[in-house]
Amino acid sequence: MNFSDDGDLRPRAYDLIVFDWDGTLFDSTALIVRSIQLACEDMGLPVPARHEAAYVIGLGLHDALAHVAPTLPPEQVPAMGQRYRHHYFRQQGELSLFDGTVELLQALKARHHWLAVATGKSRQGLNEALTHVELRGMFDSTRTADETASKPHPLMLQELMAEFGVEPERTLMIGDTTHDLQLALNAGTHSVAVSYGAHEPAAFGDFPARFVAHSTAELRDWLLRHA
């Protein structure tokens, strides 16, 4: 049985805690949705509704754009990706972490959990975001969609578990979309959902998430009691 190393005698249920990025730690959902919509407009395509654009958040960019623009010829998907990046990076500097995120991560670090990120962002995109919010060095490892399989394929979590030698039952995935919850299910890990990101919490009922947090404060409180 593993215990936290901060004087707390409660058993530690998870050695590895993996976070999604956009919509879970980083308040970027609205900008991603608008950037997808503008990219479609630039390409002369039907503009998806907010819920349609939000649904693909968490997937790798190629998969996300192919889903929202199914009539776009495959050879034009990279061009649409460039338009998406243009709109997103133009305003990324205005984004921030959800309130309380730094304190949440610091509290988990104090309990000596390994912390990781599994995201649909590219490596360049995640590195720029981590630098922007001054979290470089906070995470013990990260995985992005352009260097491994996109969610909900389990490879992201499988690679992270192998890196730290942690079994699925000692690993917790936290995310704001059904893609994150399906990723955890596919990898055999436990999961926690947050309701303040891209997907409506009503969709989480199809997955065995241990908890649905409605704020970062709720997430922190649950993790310190149960993780």
Side-chain angles (χ1 to χ4, degrees), residues 44-61:
L45 299 166
V47 176
R50 187 266 177 202
H51 72 276
E52 295 171 331
Y55 173 78
V56 302
I57 294 176
L59 301 177
L61 183 59

Side-chain angles (χ1 to χ4, degrees), residues 16 55 69 81 113-114 161 199 217:
L16 173 61
Y55 173 78
H113 298 279
W114 281 309
M161 290 187 289
H199 285 192

Side-chain angles (χ1 to χ4, degrees), residues 54-59 151-153 176-184 199 207:
Y55 173 78
V56 302
I57 294 176
L59 301 177
K151 299 173 186 176
H153 192 285
D176 67 311
T177 72
T178 56
H179 310 307
D180 299 309
L181 301 183
Q182 186 66 57
L183 166 66
H199 285 192
F207 299 90

